[in-house]
Amino acid sequence: MLKNIAIIMGGYSSEYEISLKSGNVVYETLDRNKYAPYAIHIFKNKWVYVAESGEEVPINKDDFSILINGEKITFDCVFNAIHGSPGEDGFIQAYFELLGIPQTSCSMYQAALTFNKRDLLATLKPFGIKTAESYYINLGDTINEDAIVEKVGLPCFVKANKAGSSFGISKVYKKEDLIAAIELSFKEDDEIIIEQFLDGVEVSVGVISYKGETKVLPITEIVSENDFFDYQAKYEGKSQEITPARISEDYENKVRREAKKIYETLKMSGFTRSEFIFKNDEPYLLEVNTVPGLTKESILPQQAAEAGISLSDLFDNAIEEVMKK
């Protein structure tokens, strides 16, 4: 009997187009001998099943079911491919938890925590995870440029605190440019994090639950053509992503240990991709993504391929892991 898998994609954030690409890759890749995949688009104004003909069928949110030709279809598992809200911030996890439908990303609390950069970094600090100096502003706060520069120095990064995307981020070199950067970030979120610029090798580390164990994937080095790893660098090819990373064995061991420690300390599940920058020979955590890109060009699938895990295996394992629980 084929298992019905709802692949949810889209979302409410600026990254919905990337999510649709990720979701379609999952849809095309899943083994049709084991699964009956359904492409589900989730947007603020509609939740719909999209048939291959393009026909849209509304989702019944009461039990996350659809009606096709008078037949009610429910799902054995949800494959979460939504970047940003509501797929990466805990909302969708809570919804499926309440309905008792297994889903492939981490649990509600872990999603909400990792989505909030400020709270994530504060939670991990007592466990010895190193992070950049940071300064926080909520919408409506008085902005003290001198205090910001004194705390984090220049250049610095101004970013939305709770946006899963690479939108609303600026690298600021001069004090007089801070206000414009802060206003840009406030377009994405009502909380802002301003971080010290760390000048060092940037790496991305995928950690997944694979065959019941925590598995750290081969490391990717990020070399951005732009001034930093922004939206263009991440999604429009304006960066080199080198897997395996050109780093020393010492660096590799340190960052693998940190990434695994973060995954296990936070009791994560599913896919994660953590970003680090090396400073004084130590890895400093920037952020943790819990629904990373899943296109063939995306970092986590590249890392899996380097580890000898095909896309089909990667997606199949994600479903098997949660169906076992």
Side-chain angles (χ1 to χ4, degrees):
M1 185 77 172
L2 295 180
K3 289 189 171 69
N4 289 341
I5 309 296
I7 302 156
I8 57 172
M9 58 189 96
Y12 305 163
S13 81
S14 316
E15 278 186 295
Y16 73 90
E17 289 176 2
I18 307 301
S19 170
L20 293 175
K21 285 183 184 170
S22 289
N24 284 324
V25 169
V26 177
Y27 179 81
E28 287 157 17
T29 306
L30 283 185
D31 182 352
R32 297 304 194 269
N33 295 316
K34 289 177 75 172
Y35 307 116
Y38 291 78
I40 309 287
H41 289 195
I42 289 185
F43 294 108
K44 275 185 177 162
N45 60 341
K46 62 179 181 182
W47 287 28
V48 291
Y49 157 61
V50 182
E52 289 196 347
S53 63
E55 182 196 351
E56 295 185 352
V57 177
I59 298 282
N60 179 347
K61 292 184 187 176
D62 291 344
D63 59 359
F64 199 70
S65 64
I66 51 177
L67 267 182
I68 298 180
N69 302 326
E71 184 193 348
K72 178 174 175 169
I73 292 170
T74 57
F75 299 99
D76 299 295
C77 180
V78 172
F79 197 109
N80 183 5
I82 296 177
H83 312 313
S85 188
E88 209 166 358
D89 55 6
F91 285 103
I92 215 82
Q93 289 83 355
Y95 169 71
F96 288 120
E97 228 161 278
L98 288 170
L99 290 180
I101 303 173
Q103 56 85 35
T104 56
S105 61
C106 61
S107 297
M108 173 198 77
Y109 174 72
Q110 282 80 358
L113 178 66
T114 50
F115 198 69
N116 187 312
K117 298 181 183 80
R118 177 185 68 192
D119 294 356
L120 171 71
L121 300 177
T123 300
L124 288 172
K125 206 171 183 179
F127 293 94
I129 304 296
K130 295 176 181 62
T131 62
E133 282 290 345
S134 49
Y135 187 102
Y136 305 109
I137 306 175
N138 293 333
L139 189 61
D141 286 357
T142 303
I143 296 162
N144 183 335
E145 293 140 284
D146 291 328
I148 294 168
V149 173
E150 191 179 323
K151 179 87 187 285
V152 301
L154 288 169
C156 64
F157 283 108
V158 179
K159 28 177 140 164
N161 184 43
K162 302 189 303 293
S165 70
S166 313
F167 290 95
I169 178 169
S170 311
K171 188 175 180 183
V172 176
Y173 290 87
K174 297 189 294 229
K175 186 167 77 172
E176 50 269 33
D177 294 339
L178 273 169
I179 297 295
I182 288 165
E183 284 169 358
L184 178 73
S185 289
F186 275 137
K187 287 181 180 167
E188 292 289 325
D189 189 19
D190 60 359
E191 295 174 4
I192 285 177
I193 180 169
I194 302 175
E195 281 184 334
Q196 165 194 24
F197 167 62
L198 299 177
D199 192 9
V201 178
E202 182 169 351
V203 294
S204 187
V205 189
V207 184
I208 62 175
S209 177
Y210 190 72
K211 301 194 188 304
E213 300 201 350
T214 304
K215 184 174 181 67
V216 182
L217 297 172
I219 296 160
T220 299
E221 180 184 349
I222 309 292
V223 184
S224 177
E225 288 173 29
N226 291 2
D227 201 11
F228 59 93
F229 194 46
D230 60 2
Y231 183 89
Q232 278 189 317
K234 200 178 279 189
Y235 296 125
E236 295 174 7
K238 297 284 175 91
S239 69
Q240 277 182 289
E241 292 151 11
I242 301 159
T243 311
R246 303 166 301 179
I247 55 176
S248 68
E249 193 178 336
D250 176 50
Y251 272 30
E252 183 179 344
N253 290 338
K254 281 177 178 171
V255 80
R256 288 177 72 88
R257 195 162 57 238
E258 293 293 89
K260 187 176 187 199
K261 180 179 178 180
I262 290 165
Y263 193 94
E264 293 181 337
T265 297
L266 296 177
K267 298 188 169 67
M268 297 300 296
S269 52
F271 303 141
T272 67
R273 207 188 69 227
S274 301
E275 317 295 331
F276 296 87
I277 285 183
F278 280 93
K279 176 191 170 191
N280 302 332
D281 299 329
E282 294 294 335
Y284 281 64
L285 176 70
L286 300 179
E287 62 178 9
V288 176
N289 300 288
T290 58
V291 185
L294 297 171
T295 67
K296 293 174 185 69
E297 299 76 38
S298 299
I299 294 173
L300 191 113
Q302 283 181 37
Q303 295 176 341
E306 183 68 25
I309 302 169
S310 68
L311 274 182
S312 181
D313 279 348
L314 186 68
F315 301 157
D316 186 75
N317 176 75
I319 292 168
E320 293 298 319
E321 290 279 291
V322 292
M323 295 287 285
K324 278 191 312 213
K325 286 180 183 174

